[in-house]
Amino acid sequence: MPARHPLGLPEHLAAVDRCLVMGVLNVTPDSFSDGGLWTDRETAIAHGIAMAEQGADLVDVGGESTRPGAQRISTQTELDRVVPVIEALVAAGVVVSIDTMRAAVAVAAVEAGAAVVNDVSGGLSEPAILGAVAGLGVPYVAMHWRGYGDRMHDNAVYDDVVVDVCAELASRARDAVAAGIDPRSVVLDPGLGFAKNADHNWALLHRLDALLDLGHPVLVGASRKRFLGSLLAVDGEPRAIEQRDKATDAVSALAAAAGAWCVRVHDVRGTRDAVEVAAAWTKGDGP
Ligand code: PMM
């Protein structure tokens, strides 16, 4: 299935005929999976370049942890963490997306060379981000979100998770378009693990077609998340975070075959293989 890319993506990526791979680069001391690993600037930059070499089409730079229970940081701290890293990655030829809920950070990141804005709040945290992104002319990822990390678990209540998430994402897309973002530049993301338990996540993956029917490219971020740990638990003991990459690769292959535009992952190499397989399988043809 040819990937349908959002408008405004750099040309060489828009020509890629498969699901894209987005490598995760959290420049934070406290993200759930890789928090603290890449806080040193040079290490973070080297890891971003390494992910691009391993096959990441984009590297997603984030300065604020979104894990359940996470405390917010100041705008200045977020800027100080991400801008120098983005500048260095862009100088090295890496396509960067900025993972932020803040308008000021989105603008500074794109000025530093970022090519995509990835907003886990879908514009709900700071609605001004929508107008800002409209002015920047880059693709905008709106993730399904129902509040900050400290309230995440209380918000995991749905009548029908697929119907509710699709309705809420459609509303986020309408807000983005009303603020001036071209509808063809809006990407939607089910926000796995954000105000969702394992059953909610599986229901959303099972019905990715319902999300795709909203008419926007879809991004899936399952990498190393808790629901994969519980799926593979032994005697009630969840699979360790660093041993969830093969399960992540399986999700990447299935999401790609189902028509996802992009998958956001920590282990780039395995997922790149997975999306290549999915592309050949779906086309019935090798490269
Ligand atoms: N998940 C995390 C952070 N940012 N962005 C998008 N678009 N989708 C996601 O699922 C998503 C995200 C949390 O995971 P991390 O701590 O591994 O970055």
Side-chain angles (χ1 to χ4, degrees):
M1 183 177 313
R4 193 168 64 77
H5 299 287
L7 190 73
L9 200 67
E11 257 175 50
H12 73 279
L13 284 189
V16 175
D17 193 14
R18 57 165 167 74
C19 177
L20 297 185
V21 178
M22 176 185 274
V24 178
L25 186 58
N26 288 318
V27 197
T28 60
D30 58 347
S31 283
F32 88 94
S33 155
D34 57 351
L37 277 182
W38 321 116
T39 29
D40 167 60
R41 191 170 294 165
E42 294 312 313
T43 315
I45 294 164
H47 183 59
I49 293 171
M51 285 194 290
E53 287 169 354
Q54 289 161 10
D57 301 294
L58 303 123
V59 168
D60 191 40
V61 177
E64 176 177 9
S65 171
T66 51
R67 78 180 157 77
Q71 299 295 310
R72 299 222 64 198
I73 53 163
S74 73
T75 303
Q76 194 55 50
T77 302
E78 193 180 344
L79 285 168
D80 292 344
R81 286 179 184 174
V82 298
V83 170
V85 173
I86 294 170
E87 283 171 346
L89 290 177
V90 170
V94 178
V95 181
V96 169
S97 63
I98 173 66
D99 186 343
T100 188
M101 300 188 258
R102 288 186 163 121
V105 177
V107 170
V110 173
E111 281 170 357
V116 172
V117 172
N118 172 26
D119 176 2
V120 300
S121 84
L124 289 176
S125 178
E126 230 182 67
I129 197 171
L130 299 175
V133 173
L136 297 167
V138 297
Y140 175 70
V141 180
M143 198 193 79
H144 179 262
W145 186 84
R146 283 184 164 184
Y148 299 102
D150 55 353
R151 294 201 305 271
M152 201 110 81
H153 292 310
D154 301 339
N155 292 334
V157 180
Y158 301 88
D159 287 331
D160 176 322
V161 68
V162 175
V163 172
D164 295 355
V165 167
C166 285
E168 289 168 39
L169 277 177
S171 163
R172 300 285 68 76
R174 275 195 298 277
D175 288 353
V177 172
I181 302 180
D182 190 303
R184 292 166 298 173
S185 293
V186 177
V187 174
L188 299 178
D189 180 331
L192 301 175
F194 285 80
K196 285 159 207 94
N197 62 30
D199 290 345
H200 296 142
N201 295 333
W202 289 118
L204 287 162
L205 286 170
H206 177 66
R207 290 300 319 282
L208 212 57
D209 62 307
L211 192 48
L212 283 155
D213 281 349
L214 296 176
H216 295 271
V218 167
L219 189 150
V220 172
S223 190
R224 297 182 181 171
K225 284 184 178 171
R226 188 190 303 233
F227 74 114
L228 299 179
S230 5
L231 178 77
L232 305 173
V234 174
D235 296 334
E237 194 60 43
R239 176 71 61 86
I241 289 175
E242 62 284 359
Q243 289 167 21
R244 298 176 188 169
D245 286 335
K246 289 189 172 66
T248 301
D249 299 343
V251 174
S252 294
L254 291 164
W261 163 68
C262 183
V263 283
R264 180 183 180 279
V265 297
H266 300 85
D267 169 42
V268 164
R269 217 186 286 273
T271 271
R272 177 63 186 258
D273 287 357
V275 299
E276 297 284 358
V277 168
W281 177 297
T282 309
K283 283 185 268 187
D285 198 4

